[in-house]
Amino acid sequence: MPSRELTIGMIFLSQTTLGILGNFSLLYHYLFLYFTGCKLRSTDLILRHLTVANTLVILSKGIPQTIVAFGWKGFLNDFGCKLVFYVHRVGRGVSIGSTCLLNVFQAITISPRNARWTKLKVKFAKYIGPSNILCWILHMLVNMIVPIHVTGNRSNKTITKIKDFGYCSVLRDKTTGLLHSALFSFLDVVCLGLMSWTSGSMVFILHRHKKQVQHIHRNNLFPRSFPESRATKTILVLVSTFVSFYTLSSIFQACVTLFNNPSWWLISISPLFVACFPTVSPFVLLSSDSSVSRLCCVSTGKKTQ
């Protein structure tokens, strides 16, 4: 096995293992809180959907790429390829939508406490569950076109217009690829726009709040930030991490789509950036005082039988 393939294989294996451990640890944490009767905040429902979506992205992208990097190609049949690509696209879309929903909800949560915003907070909290379900359904429907153009390497011997990803191939030319990219990018651009706007709003609100309470902190020997501020800072870190990795992965994926014969390095490195956010995000949440670790101290006791 060439040293470059071994290196990429070890990187994929490390990233996939780390991502699976992180997301499963976060899922276990939420299940533990649920079955022990702890009271979860509204944002935690979004985070659970985000964790499931990130897990699907890692499993559908990291595991096949790891196997290919270690030299085992053509291990998926036609149905397996269609399923893997479809699950990846749905998981990636829900991950983007959940991150956007989380950002919007937190921006509404820390908004000025007047009657109009209070009513909006109550209404928005009621629709978090349906919004998550709608996000899954929307991306499942939009991405139904993906399996049509995906085939296993075993069944494409006589087809010339393909892009070989090692374990599967995509049957489409440049024009079709551009149309699909434009279709899939539309929802992503909308979500990124909402995230940018709400993130800017949160930064402004936090800055104004800091100025308002500066004199209190000066007179307090043990200053502590408000829970909303800590939660907002965590989500801003999460969103900035997402935007950074999403931008890089989008650039690499666009290159793979536009080039007729993308290089081995380009095809190999692109999935690394796709799986970066799903790998890093659970550790950002687990290490944060504002989102996950503080949930343990808010409990309603055992559930009634």
Side-chain angles (χ1 to χ4, degrees):
M1 179 185 298
S3 59
R4 66 174 189 176
E5 293 187 2
L6 180 62
T7 302
I8 290 294
M10 293 303 299
I11 294 174
F12 272 120
L13 180 61
S14 302
Q15 184 189 54
T16 302
T17 303
L18 194 64
I20 291 174
L21 287 176
N23 283 283
F24 272 82
S25 297
L26 198 56
L27 284 174
Y28 169 79
H29 188 82
Y30 284 123
L31 288 174
F32 174 80
L33 292 175
Y34 176 79
F35 285 111
T36 54
C38 290
K39 182 181 179 181
L40 303 181
R41 290 181 284 191
S42 300
T43 53
D44 299 319
L45 178 59
I46 306 174
L47 291 173
R48 278 181 281 179
H49 283 270
L50 175 62
T51 305
V52 172
N54 287 341
T55 303
L56 291 179
V57 172
I58 292 173
L59 292 175
S60 62
K61 182 61 69 172
I63 292 179
Q65 289 292 157
T66 302
I67 295 174
V68 169
F70 282 114
W72 188 12
K73 300 183 179 181
F75 56 92
L76 288 176
N77 58 18
D78 195 59
F79 175 77
C81 283
K82 293 179 185 297
L83 180 62
V84 165
F85 269 71
Y86 179 72
V87 169
H88 169 70
R89 288 299 312 183
V90 172
R92 183 176 180 273
V94 174
S95 178
I96 296 172
S98 298
T99 306
C100 178
L101 186 63
L102 180 68
N103 210 42
V104 171
F105 179 77
Q106 192 61 32
I108 294 175
T109 300
I110 68 168
S111 59
R113 301 181 182 276
N114 54 44
R116 184 185 66 177
W117 282 108
T118 301
K119 291 180 181 179
L120 184 59
K121 292 174 191 177
V122 174
K123 289 182 179 180
F124 198 85
K126 291 181 180 179
Y127 292 115
I128 284 181
S131 297
N132 279 302
I133 300 299
L134 180 62
C135 184
W136 282 98
I137 294 174
L138 178 63
H139 286 285
M140 289 173 71
L141 292 175
V142 169
N143 289 287
M144 286 182 69
I145 194 174
V146 171
I148 299 175
H149 301 280
V150 177
T151 182
N153 287 341
R154 303 173 185 174
S155 57
N156 58 23
K157 301 299 184 181
T158 60
I159 302 175
T160 56
K161 291 185 177 180
I162 65 171
K163 287 190 177 179
D164 186 5
F165 289 88
Y167 55 98
C168 297
S169 298
V170 176
L171 314 176
R172 64 186 184 198
D173 55 24
K174 185 180 294 186
T175 302
T176 307
L178 288 173
L179 290 175
H180 289 173
S181 298
L183 173 64
F184 295 141
S185 297
F186 176 74
L187 290 175
D188 296 353
V189 171
V190 172
C191 289
L192 286 174
L194 282 173
M195 280 190 276
S196 301
W197 175 63
T198 51
S199 296
S201 301
M202 285 192 285
V203 170
F204 174 75
I205 292 172
L206 286 176
H207 180 70
R208 186 177 59 182
H209 173 74
K210 183 179 179 181
K211 284 188 172 182
Q212 291 173 346
V213 299
Q214 256 183 346
H215 66 283
I216 299 176
H217 289 306
R218 290 197 197 100
N219 299 327
N220 192 350
L221 295 176
F222 303 100
R224 295 177 62 187
S225 59
F226 290 99
E228 293 87 351
S229 298
R230 294 197 297 273
T232 301
K233 289 175 183 176
T234 298
I235 293 174
L236 286 174
V237 172
L238 195 68
V239 170
S240 61
T241 303
F242 169 79
V243 172
S244 301
F245 287 132
Y246 173 82
T247 302
L248 288 172
S249 67
S250 296
I251 292 173
F252 279 99
Q253 284 186 325
C255 292
V256 171
T257 301
L258 293 174
F259 295 163
N260 290 324
N261 295 303
S263 66
W264 180 89
W265 280 108
L266 188 60
I267 293 177
S268 299
I269 293 175
S270 179
L272 284 175
F273 288 104
V274 171
C276 276
F277 176 75
T279 302
V280 172
S281 60
F283 297 100
V284 173
L285 295 170
L286 284 169
S287 63
S288 170
D289 290 334
S290 60
S291 57
V292 175
S293 59
R294 290 185 68 254
L295 292 175
C296 295
C297 65
V298 183
S299 177
T300 58
K302 293 293 181 181
K303 296 178 183 178
T304 58
Q305 300 297 327

